[in-house]
Amino acid sequence: MNRRYAIAAAAFAALLLAVTAAKILHVPISYVPWAAPSARAIEQRGPLSDGEKATIDIFERVSPSVVQVAVKSAASPLMGDEGQGGGGASGTGFVWDREGHLVTNNHVVANGSEIAVRFASGEVAQVDLVGRAPNYDLAVLRIRSVRELPAPVGLGSSSDLKVGQAAFAIGNPFGLDQSMTSGIISALKRRLPTHGGREIANVIQTDAAINPGNSGGPLLDSAGRLIGVTTAIISPSGSNAGIGFAVPVDVVNRIVPELIRNGRVPTPGIGIVAAGEDVATRLGVEGVIVVRTAPGSPAERAGIRGVNFSTGAVGDIITAAEGKPVRRLSDLTDALEQAGAGKTVRLTVKRGSDSRDVDVGIIDIDRS
């Protein structure tokens, strides 16, 4: 009892001392037993920073032109989320022109029997597949009808990009529409294998968060211009790990008009089977090792020779195209694509210690 009394007395003394001090210092004290606390006053934050304003402006200008792409597969009547095990696929697309064309990734729509898009306004529209380019993981859709089409996303250039400059991605990760992420361009001139069995050259790498569902969406610069189409990530878990890739806009701007005109894009080639880069590295070879040539192909007619399978001797090695070094297969395919099917390319070919220049015709190997 004495201990309890001492504690109570000490508490009362402390309260009395506080009240006395408050009176001396003229500090008002008010206390209402059991009163509910009132809401605190909101502090004004002041103006937004210039960087915040710029980011907000990009989103408000571009996001209405970004759509969610939902695909129903032939095997299932349900729409699903990309990578989530649903009945179909879900990705992103964006308005390309005033005629109602949309751009997305080929892998988003490749297996779809029916495709619909949802705009930022919530309006849903059915679309038709205009064309696909598996070698570039690009596809073009066209809206059947919509009341009012948002403005096309402005085009930038990927030829003058610098590592370190800002990058912004708008898309629908995991089906969460109208999401914006930001980061920087982490690297340039990456090479990305596609479902078409080739490689896209000069691919943009970014650390802006890209997840399943972002595929086919726009990658933007700080002016809100399109610099790439997000297409893939590298991640053991399948989620963002800070390494995302985008097809460069200079490639997109070359492929999309071709898809709109013809529904397909030629695959330029000369009719060779090339050895992998690992083989060339093991042999200490810089260039494309020709394994064999297709019978009757332009390469065979030009006298290009592959590996001698009887002796194992290496045949021809392509070291340059139009005077530019060819160090890997993507260098060669890039040169062929720049020239186009139906044209001729001058190749520098090394056989043993001798080099020679040969003119080789370029064909559309998909139709040969």
Side-chain angles (χ1 to χ4, degrees):
M1 290 294 293
N2 290 339
R3 188 168 181 272
R4 291 180 183 176
Y5 176 79
I7 292 173
F12 178 77
L15 178 62
L16 183 63
L17 179 62
V19 171
T20 303
K23 288 182 177 180
I24 294 174
L25 298 174
H26 304 288
V27 177
I29 294 179
S30 61
Y31 175 69
V32 180
W34 312 110
S38 59
R40 294 183 59 188
I42 298 174
E43 298 182 10
Q44 297 301 315
R45 59 147 285 128
L48 296 170
S49 69
D50 291 341
E52 289 174 309
K53 291 178 182 177
T55 302
I56 292 169
D57 177 66
I58 291 172
F59 181 78
E60 291 181 344
R61 283 192 291 115
V62 179
S63 61
S65 304
V66 179
V67 300
Q68 184 172 16
V69 180
V71 180
K72 183 172 69 176
S73 69
S76 172
L78 301 176
M79 298 286 189
D81 292 335
E82 180 189 42
Q84 301 305 300
S90 175
T92 303
F94 58 91
V95 178
W96 177 260
D97 58 25
R98 295 286 183 182
E99 285 68 49
H101 293 108
L102 308 173
V103 172
T104 187
N105 279 149
N106 172 70
H107 76 259
V108 172
V109 300
N111 299 315
S113 60
E114 187 177 336
I115 309 170
V117 298
R118 183 187 298 275
F119 288 89
S121 64
E123 183 178 1
V124 175
Q126 295 295 314
V127 298
D128 295 315
L129 179 62
V130 174
R132 300 190 298 114
N135 289 331
Y136 305 93
D137 199 15
L138 293 173
V140 174
L141 312 173
R142 186 169 185 175
I143 303 166
R144 293 178 187 171
S145 63
V146 66
R147 287 194 299 272
E148 186 176 352
L149 194 66
V153 178
L155 289 187
S157 173
S158 51
S159 62
D160 57 356
L161 295 177
K162 303 293 183 183
V163 173
Q165 75 178 73
F168 304 86
I170 301 179
N172 308 287
F174 302 109
L176 302 172
D177 63 335
Q178 295 293 295
S179 294
M180 182 181 194
T181 58
S182 64
I184 62 170
I185 294 174
S186 309
L188 296 167
K189 297 184 178 179
R190 294 298 193 212
R191 293 175 293 128
L192 188 66
T194 67
H195 294 287
R198 292 163 73 95
E199 289 183 337
I200 308 173
N202 300 317
V203 169
I204 302 165
Q205 180 184 320
T206 179
D207 69 347
I210 296 173
N211 284 292
N214 275 109
S215 292
L219 186 70
L220 310 164
D221 64 10
S222 57
R225 304 179 308 162
L226 181 73
I227 56 173
V229 177
T230 56
T231 186
I233 58 174
I234 289 181
S235 169
S237 66
S239 299
N240 174 61
I243 302 179
F245 299 102
V247 181
V249 69
D250 291 352
V251 172
V252 177
N253 203 20
R254 176 164 54 88
I255 298 304
V256 168
E258 185 78 21
L259 288 176
I260 293 173
R261 284 192 300 266
N262 302 315
R264 63 178 299 275
V265 174
T267 302
I270 58 175
I272 65 168
V273 174
E277 286 183 35
D278 55 336
V279 175
T281 300
R282 287 199 301 270
L283 296 176
V285 171
E286 187 173 284
V288 173
I289 299 175
V290 178
V291 176
R292 63 180 176 86
T293 58
S297 66
E300 184 188 57
R301 292 196 299 269
I304 295 177
R305 189 173 68 193
V307 173
N308 186 327
F309 291 100
S310 299
T311 64
V314 173
D316 287 332
I317 301 168
I318 299 172
T319 59
E322 296 296 341
K324 296 181 180 179
V326 169
R327 297 185 174 90
R328 54 181 67 93
L329 183 58
S330 59
D331 295 332
L332 177 60
T333 57
D334 192 45
L336 299 180
E337 287 161 3
Q338 291 294 329
K343 301 297 179 61
T344 299
V345 63
R346 173 155 289 192
L347 302 178
T348 302
V349 178
K350 183 179 180 181
R351 183 181 299 172
S353 59
D354 298 327
S355 290
R356 70 188 191 282
D357 290 337
V358 293
D359 292 329
V360 186
I362 304 172
I363 59 174
D364 181 359
I365 59 176
D366 287 342
R367 288 186 168 177
S368 300

